Amino acid sequence: MKNKILLLVIGCVFAMSGCGSAATQTESAVENISEDASATTDTASSEGEESTEEAASAEDAASEDESSEDALEEETTGTDAESENVDEDWMGKETAPDADGKISNGFMSITMPKELEGTYLAYTNDNEINIYEKEGHDDGYGGFVFGICLADNYGEYGGMRTKIGELTDADGKLHHVLLSFASEVQWDYTKYEEVPEAYKKLEDSCRDIASTLEAEQGGTYVDGGGTKGEDLYGDLAKEIAATVESAKDANELEAADLSPVYYAISQGDEAKDPMEAIGVAYADCNSDGVDEMFIGDIENQQVYDIFGSENGKPVHVVSGHFRDYYKVNGPFISEYVSESAGVNVATSWNLEPNSSELFLQYSLKLDETDEAEYKWAVSYSDGKWEELSEEEYNDRFSNLEYPDAPALEFKPLNSLK
């Protein structure tokens, strides 16, 4: 607008060129307007530059934001891809059974029953075949039922992984074959109050399915290999029977790392023949799939010697006697000790897999003497006792007994000669 005024004034100047003072005033006005126009032009130029710089800055910022969004998108996409890879690494590759129900990971295979077709999914990797119940898996609750995996070292089983056999490959290398189980609910518990039928059928069939395992690249699989008591301790049991039969006194048994009870019961008015009264039994008391050996009184189930296995070889765990004996109660070993008249201690132990070490669960003490600090007490470590009420003591003590646990199936020593 000021530029237009400048042109108008200049036109007037030419028209008034003969008018002295007026011309002078007009000339002065033109100079003033010119100065204003120049100043305006400079300001506009400056404002334009600032606007251009601001626009450039905004454009740069937008570009940076766009780049950040792209980077975030790429990062998120990368994370998703990485997550998918982690899932694939963890679960393995989904593997469909062939027409006969065989599922193979290239090294070993199992065969699924025809009647279970359509109820499961299989995932495999180099040393595992894992079976999932389809509905539970599709509903997002895992669906894991069981897995068959290989371990190359003793002691890699226990807990939720149980040894079921041994696979020797074409090169002669021994692999422990393990059956693994879920440690938590794997189906939609909001839909089912009890185990879904399809899941239960798979779970109930898992051991039979595992027994169909075959080596795919040569070699052999022995179902139950390395787990049975007769195989692990059979020769040792015969040696023990011979030692008991020939022992002349208790010292001779103790020197052989055996309980003196086997000689003691042959003495006195109620003497028994230890070769008939004492027996050997095999049972898996720590749920690792591998049997332990127990030597004890056939009639009352009192155990006086316990043997486990370490790296496939028998190891002696502990010996007892009349006032300090053991019983097998389900997955635990219970020890009963009469410390003195009126003082009795009962302890729950767990035998570590592939070990001769007993792990303390808890001990209970009943002290009916006048000097007792507590009549009923519990300890979770040696020598540290905490008071219990009689009801609490009885409740804990009943847990030691496991009334539904199967009795040991003892074979008398004279049957092992």
Side-chain angles (χ1 to χ4, degrees), residues 73 92 171 192 226 265 282 354 373:
E73 184 176 354
D171 297 326
Y192 300 100
I265 64 172
Y282 306 112
N354 193 49
E373 181 180 9

Side-chain angles (χ1 to χ4, degrees), residues 37-51:
S38 177
T40 301
T41 301
D42 291 341
T43 302
S45 175
S46 176
E47 289 177 354
E49 289 175 1
E50 290 177 1
S51 298

Side-chain angles (χ1 to χ4, degrees), residues 79-111:
T79 301
D80 291 342
E82 183 179 349
S83 178
E84 290 175 3
N85 289 335
V86 169
D87 288 343
E88 185 174 340
D89 290 342
W90 176 63
M91 291 185 64
K93 176 184 178 182
E94 185 172 357
T95 305
D98 67 13
D100 297 322
K102 178 179 283 190
I103 299 169
S104 173
N105 68 353
F107 184 78
M108 62 182 179
S109 66
I110 57 173
T111 300

Side-chain angles (χ1 to χ4, degrees), residues 127 149-158 161 163 165-166 173-178 290 310-312 353-354:
N127 67 343
C149 59
L150 302 180
D152 292 339
N153 298 308
Y154 290 93
E156 289 186 27
Y157 40 88
R161 304 204 309 173
K163 182 173 179 177
E166 294 177 339
K173 182 178 181 179
L174 177 69
H175 304 273
H176 306 280
V177 179
L178 314 180
V290 181
E310 188 170 354
N311 298 328
N354 193 49

Side-chain angles (χ1 to χ4, degrees), residues 344-359:
N344 294 285
V345 175
T347 301
S348 177
W349 299 98
N350 180 250
L351 178 61
E352 297 281 351
N354 193 49
S355 171
S356 61
E357 296 297 320
L358 289 171
F359 181 79

Side-chain angles (χ1 to χ4, degrees), residues 33 36 133 203:
I33 292 175
D36 291 342
E133 191 259 325
E203 189 175 42

